[in-house]
Amino acid sequence: VGRLGGDEFIMVMPGIAPEAEAEAAARRIVAAVAQPVPFKSARLRLGATAGVALAPIHASTPDAVIRAADGALLGGKKRRRGSVGCATAEDAVLAARAIAVSA
């Protein structure tokens, strides 16, 4: 687990497959973050939205996988905060284009 910046974090889970298993893991994480947290005399409620991308299905390089996951995250946020978005073949193409342009 690492912080990309701001309120964005990345989790690398080697050996997780298929996509349904990765999506289920992301849903468990989102649900765990949504549990109220006691703080002083209050209970804080946090939220998370997740984006899932798998290598080499959605991208083959680390940068491309991160970009595909970011695209999936944005799709999840558009649908509903607190949801899980999964990368698509289109996300993979967009990530490859972004890598090519930046190179």
Side-chain angles (χ1 to χ4, degrees):
V1 176
R3 181 172 177 247
L4 286 177
D7 64 348
E8 290 191 353
F9 296 82
I10 184 169
M11 180 178 296
V12 177
M13 301 172 73
I16 194 164
E19 188 173 336
E21 185 179 329
E23 183 178 352
R27 289 189 191 287
R28 288 191 303 273
I29 292 165
V30 167
V33 169
Q35 295 301 309
V37 177
F39 180 75
K40 297 185 181 179
S41 61
R43 292 181 68 74
L44 302 178
R45 294 185 81 55
L46 306 173
T49 305
V52 174
L54 300 176
I57 297 168
H58 301 114
S60 58
T61 68
D63 286 343
V65 174
I66 291 170
R67 287 195 170 126
D70 193 47
L73 171 66
L74 294 175
K77 284 181 176 180
K78 285 180 184 176
R79 282 188 299 282
R80 181 179 49 83
R81 293 214 177 253
S83 66
V84 173
C86 291
T88 64
E90 181 179 303
D91 294 325
V93 170
L94 293 175
R97 278 192 204 146
I99 295 273
V101 168
S102 68

